Amino acid sequence: MDRQVKMLIGVLKNSRVFSHLSDEELQHVISRVQIREYSKNSKFMHEGDTNNFMYLIVYGRVKISIFNAEGKETIVAIRQGGDYFGEMSLIDGKTNSATVCAMEKTLIAVIFKDDFCHLLHSQPKLLFGVMRELCFRLREANEIIERLSYNKATQKLGLLFKNYINRYGKKDNGSIVLTIKLTHQDIADMSGLVRETVTATINQWKTDGYLSTNEDGLFCFSPSFLENFPIL
């Protein structure tokens, strides 16, 4: 458990929501969480259910999905270590707006509703962090709506990558590395395209010098990608 707590401290310090807290304040947060491990394909938050927890990913990846009346899945987002979710229903008292499923072995720090509310009242910096993240997600939702309104694959994928660069992009030797791993199928499920179209578009962008993949399979974008995105 000590190793998991150390990992949790590292994640909290690098989280946009918790990074402004002092070590003492972080210890107070940790005293209020439970650690849970989920295996690949485990669903632990369901659309339409009442939620009593906020979830913080320590390590692993999850997909956040919605399903239509016929049961067809649309992946809204993919999240990894340092990200959190579930807080919206704790704030507004509504049911979950999506289903969350572990894409691989995933360690989650769970904060109960009463503890979450206590932390918001006792840690003003945490409240500001949550507000900032909610604003980010509102902008993200607007980008998703915009993305779905386009017909061209280059526009859909360009907006999707732009969103993930904003959240997970890291500058490295003149390029921007996407620090979250996305497969072509993941991208297809988020963009509403078939995988073959995603692959063809990505291969063309590689030929044009807009992007590449590194030895870890992560996408690396050239500065020209964002410069030329409006005309893609």
Side-chain angles (χ1 to χ4, degrees):
M1 180 60 71
D2 288 342
R3 187 176 72 89
Q4 292 180 345
V5 170
K6 288 180 180 179
M7 292 177 64
L8 177 56
I9 292 174
V11 168
L12 289 173
K13 285 185 174 181
N14 287 288
S15 167
R16 285 196 302 237
V17 174
F18 297 95
S19 60
H20 293 87
L21 300 183
S22 66
D23 288 346
E24 182 179 350
E25 290 167 333
L26 287 175
Q27 288 294 340
H28 183 61
V29 172
I30 291 172
S31 70
R32 298 258 175 181
V33 307
Q34 290 187 8
I35 302 294
R36 298 179 182 177
E37 188 174 89
Y38 295 92
S39 58
K40 182 178 180 180
N41 296 326
S42 296
K43 293 181 179 179
F44 53 93
M45 201 173 95
H46 297 269
E47 183 178 358
D49 286 354
T50 301
N51 181 42
N52 292 307
F53 310 103
M54 171 184 164
Y55 302 88
L56 173 70
I57 306 173
V58 181
Y59 66 73
R61 288 192 310 154
V62 305
K63 60 179 179 177
I64 302 173
S65 306
I66 56 176
F67 295 83
N68 65 16
E70 289 73 39
K72 177 177 172 54
E73 178 184 19
T74 298
I75 298 179
V76 177
I78 293 175
R79 297 290 182 246
Q80 64 176 4
D83 292 322
Y84 75 96
F85 51 90
E87 80 294 341
M88 288 180 61
S89 57
L90 299 188
I91 294 172
D92 65 13
K94 305 294 184 180
T95 56
N96 295 330
S97 59
T99 295
V100 180
C101 179
M103 302 178 72
E104 58 193 50
K105 183 179 178 181
T106 301
L107 194 70
I108 299 286
V110 178
I111 304 177
F112 289 84
K113 181 177 182 177
D114 289 345
D115 291 328
F116 174 73
C117 294
H118 172 80
L119 288 169
L120 289 183
H121 283 93
S122 63
Q123 308 286 353
K125 287 184 288 186
L126 178 59
L127 177 60
F128 180 77
V130 171
M131 291 172 60
R132 186 172 57 243
E133 180 69 8
L134 288 175
C135 289
F136 185 93
R137 292 189 184 182
L138 179 59
R139 294 180 186 275
E140 186 178 52
N142 289 337
E143 288 185 357
I144 291 173
I145 294 170
E146 182 182 3
R147 186 170 74 229
L148 294 175
S149 70
Y150 286 128
N151 294 318
K152 292 176 63 177
T154 52
Q155 293 172 318
K156 287 178 178 288
L157 296 184
L159 271 175
L160 187 148
F161 280 133
K162 178 185 175 184
N163 176 275
Y164 275 76
I165 287 171
N166 287 337
R167 180 178 281 271
Y168 300 108
K170 181 180 180 180
K171 292 183 178 180
D172 182 36
N173 294 325
S175 297
I176 303 173
V177 179
L178 208 57
T179 59
I180 185 171
K181 191 167 186 177
L182 300 175
T183 68
H184 289 197
Q185 188 60 58
D186 293 336
I187 296 167
D189 291 338
M190 287 190 287
S191 62
L193 300 168
V194 297
R195 185 181 57 79
E196 290 77 9
T197 299
V198 170
T199 298
T201 303
I202 288 175
N203 286 342
Q204 184 60 54
W205 284 350
K206 286 182 177 180
T207 300
D208 294 338
Y210 287 133
L211 64 84
S212 60
T213 51
N214 64 17
E215 61 274 11
D216 296 319
L218 301 175
F219 288 108
C220 304
F221 297 88
S222 69
S224 61
F225 178 83
L226 291 178
E227 293 170 3
N228 288 278
F229 167 71
I231 63 172
L232 290 177

